[in-house]
Amino acid sequence: MSLNKWKYKNPKNHFEYLENWMQFSIGLANYVKQVNLPIKLYISVPSNLLFSYFFVFGAIDYDFRNVSKEALLGKYLSLKKGQRILYKSGNQWVAHSVIEVSKIPNAEMKAIVVKDRLNGITYIPQTRWFNYVRIHDNEVTEVRNIRRVSNVENISDNIKFKSLYSDYNLNLLMMQNIPRTYLYTNKKEWTDNISIIELKINETPVQLDELLFDGTEGSFKNFSFIQQNNFPLLPNESTIIFVGSSRSLRKMDQFKQQKCIFIIDQHESNEKIEELQMKIEQEFLMEKGQSLNKDILEFMDNNQIMIPKGVEIFAWLSKSKFGSSK
């Protein structure tokens, strides 16, 4: 991971190399993503909104660069009754409900069994999965009728994505279509201000909102917002990013099995910050936690990333989760 050649557009509309805190935010996201355990990380910064933009991009960039066919196969094999997939027929994508994953009758080949147009069943053989089956919704619901879906993006044709990632990775991500990065924040504030971030990567200028898709305007998602009144069950490999101490306090206990990042603004209410710090301290002590700050320092040093002055950071892992953190 080399961020030394990445640039951002400053307020004077000139591109210049990333500032230290920008590199640090992206690098920190990469550290969190490469750890294979549900670590927790508290970080206090001068502007948690700005910091969160670079952290989210760093997390999604990591997801895009580290995808495997085996991981996607695992998602196919673990599909449950009631989940929705898109199945490509000609040039048309059609949403089907999964009935089960089993085998084709009288054959050894695995197949995804879906409800068809006549309320019967169709077997989609494994040989077609990676090119014709796209996971549409990770939620398990009742088995529903099929329907055509018109707003299905082909991210392999996205010029911005193609300048950054391989066709192989883009196709796997498009078919998996399940975010591994989730954001709990003020959605309106976050989306209203994201246009201020413009980067130049590999000499390609990109608006940050050209790379982040939450499924609002189409069917592809590489991250997702968590709504205040909707806290879904998320895969254990998910990374949950909380922006602000109030949101962290409100729902941090619901995501014990996932990686959680608490990005706190130093200008927030001292009372809320102290309450969050006390909760974290109690959790750390009661669970006999292990500090990971030394690991972060080594990671930043190995990647030639400076830790900005004035930043407070504490990363930990509960005793029950101890093990290899790489």
Side-chain angles (χ1 to χ4, degrees):
M1 178 189 62
S2 177
L3 303 174
N4 295 329
K5 295 183 179 180
W6 291 22
K7 297 179 179 180
Y8 79 102
K9 182 177 284 189
N10 64 23
K12 297 180 180 179
N13 288 326
H14 297 142
F15 281 102
E16 59 180 85
Y17 292 110
L18 296 183
E19 297 179 17
N20 288 341
W21 70 268
M22 299 173 183
Q23 289 197 23
F24 175 68
S25 184
I26 295 171
L28 189 61
N30 275 257
Y31 169 80
V32 169
K33 283 290 185 176
Q34 57 93 45
V35 174
N36 293 323
L37 293 166
I39 69 169
K40 314 299 178 190
L41 189 150
Y42 169 96
I43 182 163
S44 175
V45 293
S47 172
N48 61 356
L49 179 63
L50 279 174
F51 193 89
S52 70
Y53 288 134
F54 286 88
F55 191 95
V56 169
F57 173 63
I60 291 172
D61 178 66
Y62 184 92
D63 289 343
F64 266 56
R65 297 184 189 279
N66 294 272
V67 63
S68 70
K69 196 170 185 177
E70 290 74 21
L72 177 53
L73 178 60
K75 294 295 183 184
Y76 286 138
L77 293 173
S78 61
L79 284 168
K80 295 178 174 58
K81 183 177 181 179
Q83 281 185 254
R84 297 286 272 182
I85 63 168
L86 299 181
Y87 184 37
K88 192 172 185 179
S89 177
N91 293 320
Q92 179 68 54
W93 289 93
V94 182
H96 294 261
S97 284
V98 173
I99 297 175
E100 64 177 343
V101 179
S102 59
K103 293 181 179 179
I104 295 175
N106 303 317
E108 289 301 313
M109 182 176 293
K110 293 184 181 299
I112 299 172
V113 185
V114 297
K115 181 179 179 181
D116 65 19
R117 295 180 185 275
L118 301 176
N119 285 329
I121 61 174
T122 294
Y123 291 85
I124 305 174
Q126 186 174 343
T127 52
R128 297 180 66 83
W129 292 358
F130 292 100
N131 294 311
Y132 295 91
V133 175
R134 180 166 165 172
I135 298 172
H136 188 47
D137 196 336
N138 199 39
E139 184 180 359
V140 176
T141 63
E142 73 281 359
V143 174
R144 292 174 283 169
N145 293 329
I146 72 170
R147 68 177 180 86
R148 292 179 181 176
V149 179
S150 59
N151 58 343
V152 179
E153 306 92 334
N154 183 354
I155 64 171
S156 296
D157 293 336
N158 184 302
I159 295 175
K160 304 293 184 179
F161 281 147
K162 287 176 69 70
S163 69
L164 300 176
Y165 310 108
S166 70
D167 289 340
Y168 178 80
N169 280 23
L170 290 176
N171 185 67
L172 292 180
L173 285 159
M174 182 171 61
M175 294 303 183
Q176 181 168 315
N177 200 31
I178 298 174
R180 290 191 290 166
T181 298
Y182 295 83
L183 182 62
Y184 185 31
T185 186
N186 182 323
K187 181 178 178 180
K188 185 178 188 306
E189 179 186 42
W190 209 83
T191 54
D192 283 351
N193 292 284
I194 194 172
S195 60
I196 65 175
I197 308 296
E198 185 171 353
L199 303 172
K200 183 178 283 187
I201 305 172
N202 299 337
E203 296 305 313
T204 300
V206 290
Q207 293 281 151
L208 196 56
D209 57 4
E210 293 177 314
L211 302 175
L212 307 184
F213 293 83
D214 72 337
T216 299
E217 298 180 356
S219 60
F220 176 69
K221 302 181 289 290
N222 56 12
F223 86 110
S224 185
F225 287 100
I226 295 176
Q227 302 300 319
Q228 182 169 341
N229 297 319
N230 180 23
F231 291 85
L233 293 174
L234 301 178
N236 287 347
E237 65 268 21
S238 304
T239 298
I240 320 298
I241 302 164
F242 298 80
V243 181
S245 55
S246 294
R247 289 182 178 83
S248 300
L249 285 164
R250 190 178 302 134
K251 294 297 179 182
M252 62 189 293
D253 289 338
Q254 294 197 10
F255 299 100
K256 292 286 189 179
Q257 301 305 313
Q258 289 83 20
K259 302 173 186 178
C260 292
I261 317 304
F262 312 109
I263 305 177
I264 310 306
D265 196 302
Q266 293 172 355
H267 300 98
E268 285 187 44
S269 162
N270 288 335
E271 181 180 350
K272 285 295 183 183
I273 294 176
E274 290 172 3
E275 185 179 351
L276 176 61
Q277 290 174 339
M278 183 176 297
K279 182 175 175 61
I280 289 172
E281 182 179 349
Q282 290 175 341
E283 179 179 310
F284 179 76
L285 294 174
M286 290 179 64
E287 297 185 0
K288 298 181 180 180
Q290 171 187 328
S291 171
L292 299 176
N293 280 26
K294 184 178 179 181
D295 287 357
I296 291 176
L297 291 173
E298 291 178 354
F299 179 86
M300 296 301 167
D301 186 56
N302 291 338
N303 287 279
Q304 299 179 321
I305 297 174
M306 295 178 59
I307 298 179
K309 292 181 179 180
V311 167
E312 294 181 35
I313 187 169
F314 179 59
W316 74 98
L317 186 67
S318 67
K319 186 176 182 179
S320 62
K321 305 300 181 185
F322 283 3
S324 173
S325 62
K326 301 294 182 182

